[in-house]
């Protein structure tokens, strides 16, 4: 199943792979190979760039030739195409989907998972929950059959550890209860929470029952904010295609209909932790919450004050109207373990907003020369 491209693709995976490595074998043989899923998404692409910058050879599991062209034309990837391979995985929910993609791999970063969007239709279990769980299981099943695999990093969510107790400090030792089937159909965000909880449970069950030769690190970000190089138009940058849309809702007058937990993390920090988790100095089989802003987190409406301070001319011109409002659901979450283990300090909410707003305003300028 990993050997078939999407029907729209024109070349076989082996041809696509070979076209990028012929003539470059000497340079790439010295690099360790990491398989990355979801490489054109927000977090996945940041991981691709970070891995290349750290000297890894990257194999991307893609669904179509269109994804390959996106990566080949991306500014941060173009100079490093001799370190990038592609293999087709048309449906990650199918048993054996990653078997071909896993061959010869040393490390795995599994990011691919359905991202909640307001336009998604029910049943959410079929389009969000089941693919998330099956994808995680299938990537682990493929890895256990490949002796060269040393470490697997899986992108999860801080929601795995969230309970309804607003007074409790949540960390990697607190656990959400497993939602029932009806909860997943409540709304798209409930479906996303259900998917992440069940996928994490499946990973823990795999560790306990299969005792793999590789380690598994679950990385659990809060709302991810920051520049996404693959989005180049103003409309795409502020669209629901990334979790930036939650942070930017107060700025663009699209306040959200209910309170959201006040936890964010810069996409650069998320990518850094994923790649660092592959290193030998980090113990495996651990979970890491990623959230900046301290235990009490951030207030979503502070985004308006940030842009007024950092982009006053754009505010005055009406490019950043600052007319929305998003209520913050107070949650206490401790993301300090990741800082201690990986030896870094989170980029704060202001830096996150400045990153994506800078990209947005550059796109506006390009579209109105």
């Amino acid at each position: 199943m990993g050997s078939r491209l999407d029907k729209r693709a024109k070349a076989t995976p082996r041809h696509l792979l070979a076209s990028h490595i012929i003539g470059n074998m000497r340079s790439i043989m010295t690099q360790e190979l990491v398989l990355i899923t979801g490489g054109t998404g927000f977090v996945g692409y940041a991981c691709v760039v970070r891995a290349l910058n750290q000297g890894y050879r990257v194999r991307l599991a893609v669904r179509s030739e269109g994804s390959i062209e996106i990566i080949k034309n991306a500014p941060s990837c173009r100079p490093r195409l001799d370190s990038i391979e592609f293999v087709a995985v048309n449906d990650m929910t199918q048993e054996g989907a990653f078997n071909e993609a896993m061959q010869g791999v040393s490390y795995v970063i599994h990011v691919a998972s359905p991202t909640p969007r307001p336009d998604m239709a029910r049943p959410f279990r079929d389009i969000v929950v089941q693919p998330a769980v099956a994808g995680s299981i299938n990537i682990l099943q493929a890895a256990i059959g490949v002796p060269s695999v040393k470490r697997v990093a899986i992108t999860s969510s801080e929601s795995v550890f969230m309970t309804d107790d607003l007074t409790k400090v949540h960390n990697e030792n607190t656990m959400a209860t497993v939602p029932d089937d009806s909860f997943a159909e409540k709304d798209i965000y409930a479906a996303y929470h259900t998917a992440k909880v069940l996928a994490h449970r499946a990973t823990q069950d795999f560790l306990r029952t299969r005792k793999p030769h590789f380690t598994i690190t679950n990385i659990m970000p809060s709302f991810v904010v920051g520049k996404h190089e693959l989005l180049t138009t103003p409309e795409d940058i502020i669209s629901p295609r990334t979790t930036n849309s939650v942070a930017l809702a107060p700025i663009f007058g699209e306040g959200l209909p209910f309170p959201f937990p006040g936890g964010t993390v810069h996409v650069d920090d998320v990518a850094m932790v994923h790649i660092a988790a592959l290193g030998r100095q980090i113990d495996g089989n651990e979970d890491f919450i990623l959230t900046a802003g301290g235990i009490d987190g951030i207030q979503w409406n502070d985004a308006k004050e940030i842009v007024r301070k950092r982009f006053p001319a754009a505010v005055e011109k009406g490019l950043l109207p600052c007319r929305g409002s998003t209520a913050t659901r107070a949650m206490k979450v401790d993301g300090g373990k990741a800082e201690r283990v990986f030896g870094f300090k989170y980029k704060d909410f202001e830096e996150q907003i400045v990153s994506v707003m800078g990209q947005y305003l550059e796109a506006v300028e390009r579209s109105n020369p």
Side-chain angles (χ1 to χ4, degrees), residues 191-346:
Y192 177 78
H193 171 71
T194 302
K196 291 303 185 182
V197 170
L198 294 180
H200 182 258
R201 294 292 195 278
T203 300
Q204 298 305 101
D205 289 344
F206 184 92
L207 268 174
R208 185 179 63 257
T209 61
R210 301 298 300 277
K211 296 179 173 53
H213 61 276
F214 51 85
T215 63
I216 302 174
T217 301
N218 287 290
I219 299 166
M220 348 283 277
S222 54
F223 287 96
V224 182
V225 181
K227 178 180 178 179
H228 185 3
E229 185 180 80
L230 298 184
L231 303 183
T232 57
T233 69
E235 295 76 17
D236 281 346
I237 291 167
I238 64 174
S239 76
R241 291 177 63 180
T242 74
T243 47
N244 280 328
S245 61
V246 179
L248 302 184
I251 298 172
F252 291 98
E254 301 292 338
L256 300 174
F258 51 83
F260 273 67
T264 64
V265 60
H266 199 295
V267 66
D268 291 350
D269 290 338
V270 179
M272 181 278 294
V273 170
H274 276 79
I275 305 308
L278 307 181
R280 294 182 179 86
Q281 70 274 22
I282 303 299
D283 291 337
N285 302 334
E286 289 195 65
D287 299 330
F288 293 96
I289 292 175
L290 304 185
T291 189
I295 289 175
D296 292 319
I298 57 95
Q299 295 292 314
W300 292 110
N301 287 335
D302 286 349
K304 294 185 287 187
E305 295 307 313
I306 292 170
V307 299
R308 289 185 182 118
K309 179 178 74 171
R310 299 296 295 269
F311 305 103
V315 172
E316 186 175 349
K317 291 177 183 178
L319 295 175
L320 306 176
C322 297
R323 290 195 297 265
S325 180
T326 297
T328 302
R329 185 184 185 206
M331 298 285 292
K332 296 181 180 298
V333 184
D334 184 0
K337 175 184 174 182
E339 284 188 313
R340 294 188 298 273
V341 171
F342 293 99
F344 76 107
K345 291 294 182 184
Y346 291 112

Side-chain angles (χ1 to χ4, degrees), residues 60-301:
L60 290 174
V62 298
R63 295 183 62 186
S64 69
E65 190 174 352
S67 296
I68 295 171
E69 293 306 310
I70 289 172
I71 294 296
K72 286 169 62 177
N73 291 315
S76 294
C77 292
R78 274 200 303 266
R80 299 181 174 90
L81 291 180
D82 61 349
S83 293
I84 303 175
E85 306 173 3
F86 301 93
V87 63
V89 177
N90 189 46
D91 184 357
M92 70 177 183
T93 69
Q94 295 298 309
E95 185 176 349
F98 295 104
N99 287 356
E100 179 181 334
M102 196 66 64
Q103 299 306 308
V105 163
S106 297
Y107 306 103
V108 180
I109 297 176
H110 178 51
V111 186
S113 186
T115 301
R117 300 189 314 273
D119 61 345
M120 282 181 166
R122 291 178 172 82
F124 296 139
R125 173 164 287 279
D126 293 343
I127 62 174
V128 177
V129 179
Q130 192 270 342
V133 176
S136 293
I137 292 172
N138 287 336
I139 201 90
L140 295 174
Q141 293 281 20
I144 207 166
V146 178
S148 61
V149 176
K150 304 171 185 177
R151 292 176 179 267
V152 176
I154 298 177
T155 312
S156 184
S157 167
E158 68 164 3
S159 67
V160 168
F161 302 108
M162 299 299 104
T163 71
D164 292 330
D165 186 350
L166 301 184
T167 66
K168 177 185 290 187
V169 176
H170 296 82
N171 57 34
E172 291 85 356
N173 296 316
T174 58
M175 281 289 177
T177 57
V178 178
D180 59 27
D181 288 344
S182 62
F183 181 80
E185 299 303 325
K186 178 182 175 184
D187 57 48
I188 193 62
Y189 301 102
Y192 177 78
H193 171 71
T194 302
K196 291 303 185 182
V197 170
L198 294 180
H200 182 258
R201 294 292 195 278
T203 300
Q204 298 305 101
D205 289 344
F206 184 92
L207 268 174
R208 185 179 63 257
T209 61
R210 301 298 300 277
K211 296 179 173 53
H213 61 276
F214 51 85
T215 63
I216 302 174
T217 301
N218 287 290
I219 299 166
M220 348 283 277
S222 54
F223 287 96
V224 182
V225 181
K227 178 180 178 179
H228 185 3
E229 185 180 80
L230 298 184
L231 303 183
T232 57
T233 69
E235 295 76 17
D236 281 346
I237 291 167
I238 64 174
S239 76
R241 291 177 63 180
T242 74
T243 47
N244 280 328
S245 61
V246 179
L248 302 184
I251 298 172
F252 291 98
E254 301 292 338
L256 300 174
F258 51 83
F260 273 67
T264 64
V265 60
H266 199 295
V267 66
D268 291 350
D269 290 338
V270 179
M272 181 278 294
V273 170
H274 276 79
I275 305 308
L278 307 181
R280 294 182 179 86
Q281 70 274 22
I282 303 299
D283 291 337
N285 302 334
E286 289 195 65
D287 299 330
F288 293 96
I289 292 175
L290 304 185
T291 189
I295 289 175
D296 292 319
I298 57 95
Q299 295 292 314
W300 292 110
N301 287 335

